[in-house]
C-alpha cells in the first residue's frame, strides 16, 4: 500500500463531531512498508462520528506531532481526534460568545449570522454558519466554549488560558503566540492534515479517496453550496449530503479556518474548503487559501475538533 502522504495541495480533514481517529503510530523500521490499519466508523448518540485509523509511517520519516504542516515531501501521521459534523453555527457562536463576555473573555468581533445578518445580533433561529470572525476570535471562542462545557481549554498564553483576541499587529498577538496543551480535552481549530483527512471521507486506499468533492470527482452539487447553486449566500449547515465520514459542508458554504500558518508566517493562517461564492474548482477537498489572523470575511467561518485522548493508543 502507498503511504498516507499529505500534499501541500491535498491535506487531510472532516461537523457536530466526527472523530478522525488516527492513532499515534509506532515507530517503523527503516525498510518497512507503510500500511493502513483497519478503520471502524460509527456515529454515536451524542452527534460524534468516530473513526479509528492507524498509520504506520514508512522509513525514518519524522513525526512532527499532531500539528505537522502539510508537505509534498513528508507524510503526516495523525493522532486520534474528534471533529464537528458541521460548521459552527451562529446560534452556537452567540450562545458561547455572550456567556464568555460576561466571564471576562474579549473578542475583536461579535460574529454575523451567515453573510446577511447583523453583526452581534441575536440569532433568528436559523442554522447558518457564523462568519465575520477572525482567526484570533476563533481560538478565543474555542477556549470559552471549552470552559463553558466543562472541558479543559487548549490554548494557553504566558501560562494562562488564552481569553483575548487582541488588536496587536498581525503576528504579534496573544493568539498566534499562544501554545497548545496537548493534554487538554477542549475544542480547538483543526490542523490542515486533520481537516483534509476528514474532508476526503473515505479509505485512503480506495478510489473515492481521490475524489475532489468528497463523494464525487465530477460535480460538487451533492455536497456543496457554491456559485452555481448558492444564489450568492451562505446556507444552513447540513442541508447538503454528508461525506463518507458523516461530515457536512467540507466543500463550499463557508471557508473554514485551520490552525496552520501559511508559508511559516505567523501573521497568516490557512483556510480550507471554499465558500458559497466560489466556483467548483475552488470548493474541492484540496482547495486552500490564507488570510491575516485579524481579518474577517462574510464567507469564512470555522468548525472545531478535539483530541481523542483516550483513543490515541487504540489498536
Amino acid at each position: 500500500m502507498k503511504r498516507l502522504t499529505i500534499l501541500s495541495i491535498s491535506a487531510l480533514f472532516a461537523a457536530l463531531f466526527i472523530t478522525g481517529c488516527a492513532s499515534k503510530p509506532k515507530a517503523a523500521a527503516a525498510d518497512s512498508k507503510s500500511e493502513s490499519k483497519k478503520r471502524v466508523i460509527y456515529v454515536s448518540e451524542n452527534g460524534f462520528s468516530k473513526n479509528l485509523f492507524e498509520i504506520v509511517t514508512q522509513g525514518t520519516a519524522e513525526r512532527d506531532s499532531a500539528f505537522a504542516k502539510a508537505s509534498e515531501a513528508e507524510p503526516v501521521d495523525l493522532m486520534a481526534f474528534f471533529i464537528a459534523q458541521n460548521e459552527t453555527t451562529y446560534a452556537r457562536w452567540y450562545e458561547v460568545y455572550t456567556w464568555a463576555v460576561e466571564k471576562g473573555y474579549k473578542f475583536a468581533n461579535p460574529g454575523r449570522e451567515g453573510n446577511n445578518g447583523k453583526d452581534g445580533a441575536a440569532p433568528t433561529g436559523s442554522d447558518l454558519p457564523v462568519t465575520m470572525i477572525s482567526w484570533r476570535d476563533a481560538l478565543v471562542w474555542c477556549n470559552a466554549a471549552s470552559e463553558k462545557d466543562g472541558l479543559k481549554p487548549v490554548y494557553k498564553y504566558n501560562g494562562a488560558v488564552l481569553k483575548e483576541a487582541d488588536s496587536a499587529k498581525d503576528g504579534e498577538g496573544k493568539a498566534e503566540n499562544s501554545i497548545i496543551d496537548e493534554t487538554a480535552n477542549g475544542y480547538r481549530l483543526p490542523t490542515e492534515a486533520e481537516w483534509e483527512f476528514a474532508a476526503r471521507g473515505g479509505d485512503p486506499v480506495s478510489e473515492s479517496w481521490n475524489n475532489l468533492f468528497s463523494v464525487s470527482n465530477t460535480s460538487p452539487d451533492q455536497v456543496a453550496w457554491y456559485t452555481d447553486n448558492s444564489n450568492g449566500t451562505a446556507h444552513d449547515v447540513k442541508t447538503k449530503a454528508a461525506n463518507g465520514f458523516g461530515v457536512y459542508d467540507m466543500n463550499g458554504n463557508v471557508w473554514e479556518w485551520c490552525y496552520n500558518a501559511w508559508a511559516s508566517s505567523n501573521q497568516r493562517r490557512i483556510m480550507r474548503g471554499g465558500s458559497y461564492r466560489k466556483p467548483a474548482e475552488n470548493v474541492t477537498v484540496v482547495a486552500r487559501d490564507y488570510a491575516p489572523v485579524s481579518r474577517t470575511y462574510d464567507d469564512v467561518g470555522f468548525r472545531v475538533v478535539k483530541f481523542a485522548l483516550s483513543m490515541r493508543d487504540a489498536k
Side-chain angles (χ1 to χ4, degrees):
M1 297 182 184
K2 295 181 179 179
R3 66 179 180 179
L4 182 57
T5 303
I6 301 174
L7 305 180
S8 61
I9 59 171
S10 67
L12 297 177
F13 200 46
L16 225 191
F17 273 103
I18 176 179
T19 303
C21 187
S23 68
K24 185 177 180 180
K26 297 178 180 179
D31 59 350
S32 67
K33 295 182 179 180
S34 298
E35 57 181 298
S36 57
K37 299 297 184 179
K38 182 178 179 181
R39 179 186 299 113
V40 177
I41 302 173
Y42 64 93
V43 178
S44 67
E45 294 181 357
N46 65 359
F48 281 81
S49 299
K50 296 186 176 181
N51 168 44
L52 178 59
F53 186 74
E54 183 175 71
I55 302 168
V56 180
T57 305
Q58 182 178 12
T60 58
E62 295 182 357
R63 175 181 176 276
D64 186 19
S65 83
F67 303 98
K69 296 177 181 177
S71 167
E72 292 184 357
E74 298 180 5
V76 175
D77 300 342
L78 303 179
M79 293 191 296
F81 70 100
F82 294 98
I83 184 169
Q85 285 181 310
N86 54 269
E87 295 159 335
T88 302
T89 64
Y90 181 73
R92 170 64 170 159
W93 164 274
Y94 185 86
E95 171 196 352
V96 172
Y97 173 84
T98 52
W99 176 91
V101 170
E102 293 182 353
K103 299 295 183 180
Y105 283 83
K106 297 180 181 179
F107 298 84
N109 305 280
R112 179 182 300 177
E113 190 172 41
N115 60 300
N116 292 318
K118 181 179 179 181
D119 291 4
T124 65
S126 77
D127 284 322
L128 288 167
V130 63
T131 66
M132 296 302 291
I133 49 94
S134 69
W135 182 87
R136 288 172 173 171
D137 289 321
L139 261 65
V140 172
W141 186 92
C142 284
N143 274 357
S146 299
E147 184 180 347
K148 183 177 186 297
D149 290 354
L151 304 175
K152 184 180 180 182
V154 171
Y155 302 109
K156 305 291 180 61
Y157 180 77
N158 280 348
V161 173
L162 174 68
K163 292 188 174 184
E164 179 184 4
D166 56 37
S167 57
K169 181 180 178 180
D170 290 348
E172 299 178 4
K174 294 178 180 179
E176 57 267 38
N177 289 290
S178 63
I179 63 172
I180 290 171
D181 182 353
E182 293 192 30
T183 69
N185 62 349
Y187 308 116
R188 58 181 175 85
L189 290 184
T191 65
E192 254 204 296
E194 291 167 333
W195 191 96
E196 191 172 321
F197 179 82
R200 288 181 180 274
D203 190 327
V205 299
S206 70
E207 291 184 5
S208 63
W209 184 257
N210 294 316
N211 286 341
L212 291 176
F213 308 110
S214 301
V215 299
S216 169
N217 208 27
T218 59
S219 171
D221 287 308
Q222 187 176 351
V223 294
W225 292 111
Y226 68 116
T227 50
D228 286 4
N229 62 15
S230 69
N231 198 30
T233 189
H235 288 258
D236 284 358
V237 302
K238 300 173 72 171
T239 50
K240 285 291 185 178
N243 71 8
F245 283 154
V247 182
Y248 297 82
D249 300 306
M250 298 300 289
N251 305 90
N253 210 21
V254 294
W255 286 99
E256 299 178 12
W257 286 115
C258 288
Y259 181 78
N260 303 73
W262 177 271
S264 300
S265 171
N266 208 28
Q267 303 173 17
R268 300 172 295 180
R269 298 289 164 151
I270 290 170
M271 307 180 299
R272 297 300 303 264
S275 79
Y276 62 85
R277 60 163 56 117
K278 294 296 182 180
E281 59 267 26
N282 295 130
V283 296
T284 68
V285 295
V286 298
R288 65 201 297 256
D289 205 343
Y290 65 89
V293 294
S294 62
R295 288 289 300 275
T296 64
Y297 304 85
D298 66 1
D299 66 340
V300 177
F302 70 104
R303 79 177 68 218
V304 296
V305 301
K306 298 194 303 178
F307 290 118
L309 301 177
S310 65
M311 301 175 73
R312 281 184 175 172
D313 296 316
K315 298 296 185 293

